[in-house]
Amino acid sequence: MFLSVFDMFKVGIGPSSSHTMGPMVAAARFLDMMRASPFEFAGLRGSLHGSLAFTGVGHATDRATILGLAGFVPDTYDNDKAEAALAEIAATHTVTPEGLPTLQFNPKTDLVFDYEHNLPGHANGMILMATDAQGDVILRQVYYSIGGGFVLTEEELAEGKATEEGDPVPFPFKSAVEMLDMAKSSGKSIAEMKRANEISRGCADSFAKGTARLWQVMNDCIERGLNTDGILPGGLSVRRRAKGIHDALQAERGMNLNAPHTINDWMSVYAMAVNEENAAGGQVVTAPTNGAAGVLPAVLRYYLDHVPGASESHIEDFLLTAAAIGGLVKYNASISGAEAGCQAEVGSASAMAAAGLCAVMGGTPEQVENAAEIALEHHLGMTCDPVAGLVQVPCIERNGLGAIKAVSAASLALRGDGQHFVPLDAVIETMRQTGHDMHEKYKETSLGGLAVNIPNC
């Protein structure tokens, strides 16, 4: 099984990898499908289903789909150009993607939130259609946004593309047991095995540049969040708090009066900074999703700024180790809140961050696996219940607590010898089963939990 670091960590835009990035990617794929088709197209239509419908407005799913059909993609997204494009589309009721003719598309009538009909493959489903001059549908494709910005057609999902292995790699572990066995027999760390897999699929130089860019985007996101205040968009009037907390923490430095637990505030503020940026539609990195994007950068920043002896030379090992754990979770369970609740998002992110921190602090492969297990185990059963469908309450604070749990898990694992009672594979399977059994209203629909017990205004 191989999932690249650049599959687990994608540069994109907020507020949601499943609901914003995924639909934009699906729209881009549909445009490619149109370009390869012999038909003459005159218009576009679409419908959003399941969680994409129920929380689509709060997640800007309609906006992302419209921009995707206009030719925008997450990795190169430019907000100023996007705003200009949206204004033009609203005025002309047309889009003109590169390589295609001008197409009729009125967002108010041609993109439908279908709350009645769920699609069978996944909770995040959408249908895109192209029409001829008479308005008849001549091309149609169902897409599923399966979490973390990953998108599959209904045919790809049916064929098992979500778990396709691809070309052979040197260390093709599909479980934590296999990962530890390969580490023991090879004498390599988890990061070293993951790096060998990555380089077998590409150039070592481009890989190093790619991972450096990932951390740069993550860290830039933290800095923007720490230096921006105001009210988050969406109608809940949620205040940005990261800047105020960070300013207070900086003012208290050197006073020798802080309680030891103040370090938790540093971890939290780094994570909150990222997720406030995500909620505002800023540039983030899926880790493994947008809703959980603050956990891993916060732990890595904590390591670099607060751990004696920390070195930037370990950033790549941190990301490689985290990606290895994230790949196991995605392959054997889910990283989608709409499929398995927030245990699949913040829980997975916390496990990944715990593993990465344990590794760069000298942990053995067994200790790394233990760190991931501790972090994920203590997120089991966590629901996804965003108020008003916005990735704000409880999501922003939840990332801070996920970071704190990750650091605690890594610390506990490093205090042991790697031997422990509950294996990571068992926790991943338990998370999958729990997600399967969880009521739909607690899985990113905003139909249960905090979403219905907190007033939206």
Side-chain angles (χ1 to χ4, degrees), residues 347 351 371-381 405 420 422-424 427:
E373 178 272 322
I374 295 169
L376 184 58
E377 179 181 352
H378 298 290
H379 284 88
L380 288 176
K405 284 187 180 181
H420 54 104
V422 180
L424 176 59
V427 177

Side-chain angles (χ1 to χ4, degrees), residues 162-228:
T163 55
E164 185 179 38
E165 296 178 27
D167 296 332
V169 293
F171 301 98
F173 50 84
K174 299 179 185 177
S175 67
V177 167
E178 291 182 355
M179 178 181 73
L180 293 179
D181 285 345
M182 290 181 186
K184 185 175 183 179
S185 61
S186 67
K188 294 183 181 293
S189 68
I190 294 169
E192 287 171 335
M193 293 191 297
K194 183 67 176 165
R195 184 180 288 106
N197 288 348
E198 294 283 345
I199 293 174
S200 74
R201 295 287 184 92
C203 171
D205 184 55
S206 62
F207 173 73
K209 290 178 180 177
T211 54
R213 185 196 176 213
L214 288 175
W215 172 240
Q216 185 66 58
V217 175
M218 288 179 181
N219 200 41
D220 287 348
C221 185
I222 292 175
E223 288 300 319
R224 288 195 307 273
L226 294 179
N227 289 283
T228 306

Side-chain angles (χ1 to χ4, degrees), residues 273-341:
V274 172
N275 284 86
E276 288 176 356
E277 279 295 293
N278 178 62
Q283 188 182 58
V284 298
V285 176
T286 62
T289 66
N290 281 32
V295 176
L296 188 142
V299 174
L300 184 46
R301 179 69 176 262
Y302 158 78
Y303 164 73
L304 292 171
D305 286 5
H306 300 274
V307 175
S311 171
E312 291 189 357
S313 65
H314 293 153
I315 291 173
E316 189 172 283
D317 282 352
F318 189 110
L319 295 175
L320 284 163
T321 306
I325 299 301
L328 292 178
V329 176
K330 185 181 185 303
Y331 184 84
N332 293 297
S334 176
I335 58 170
S336 167
E339 189 173 25

Side-chain angles (χ1 to χ4, degrees), residues 75-226:
D75 188 51
T76 58
Y77 177 82
D78 183 296
N79 191 64
D80 291 338
K81 291 180 180 178
E83 291 299 327
L86 287 169
E88 184 175 352
I89 294 167
T92 65
H93 294 168
T94 63
V95 292
T96 310
E98 184 178 351
L100 289 167
T102 298
L103 301 166
Q104 296 296 313
F105 179 68
N106 182 349
K108 291 185 177 180
T109 57
D110 292 326
L111 184 60
V112 177
F113 286 83
D114 189 335
Y115 302 103
E116 301 297 326
H117 305 98
N118 291 342
L119 300 180
H122 191 277
N124 293 329
M126 62 190 296
I127 302 173
L128 296 177
M129 296 163 280
T131 60
D132 61 15
Q134 288 72 44
D136 295 327
V137 175
I138 54 176
L139 189 66
R140 177 184 183 275
Q141 184 61 64
V142 175
Y143 293 97
Y144 293 107
S145 181
I146 63 172
F150 291 89
V151 172
L152 296 174
T153 65
E154 61 179 341
E155 294 83 7
E156 289 169 344
L157 190 68
E159 293 170 6
K161 295 285 187 179
T163 55
E164 185 179 38
E165 296 178 27
D167 296 332
V169 293
F171 301 98
F173 50 84
K174 299 179 185 177
S175 67
V177 167
E178 291 182 355
M179 178 181 73
L180 293 179
D181 285 345
M182 290 181 186
K184 185 175 183 179
S185 61
S186 67
K188 294 183 181 293
S189 68
I190 294 169
E192 287 171 335
M193 293 191 297
K194 183 67 176 165
R195 184 180 288 106
N197 288 348
E198 294 283 345
I199 293 174
S200 74
R201 295 287 184 92
C203 171
D205 184 55
S206 62
F207 173 73
K209 290 178 180 177
T211 54
R213 185 196 176 213
L214 288 175
W215 172 240
Q216 185 66 58
V217 175
M218 288 179 181
N219 200 41
D220 287 348
C221 185
I222 292 175
E223 288 300 319
R224 288 195 307 273
L226 294 179

Side-chain angles (χ1 to χ4, degrees), residues 425-439:
D425 288 331
V427 177
I428 292 174
E429 173 59 17
T430 301
M431 191 260 274
R432 186 194 67 78
Q433 293 173 4
T434 304
H436 180 269
D437 294 340
M438 189 180 290
H439 195 288

Side-chain angles (χ1 to χ4, degrees), residues 341-359:
C342 199
Q343 59 173 357
E345 295 206 26
V346 169
S348 299
S350 188
M352 293 165 64
L357 180 61
C358 185

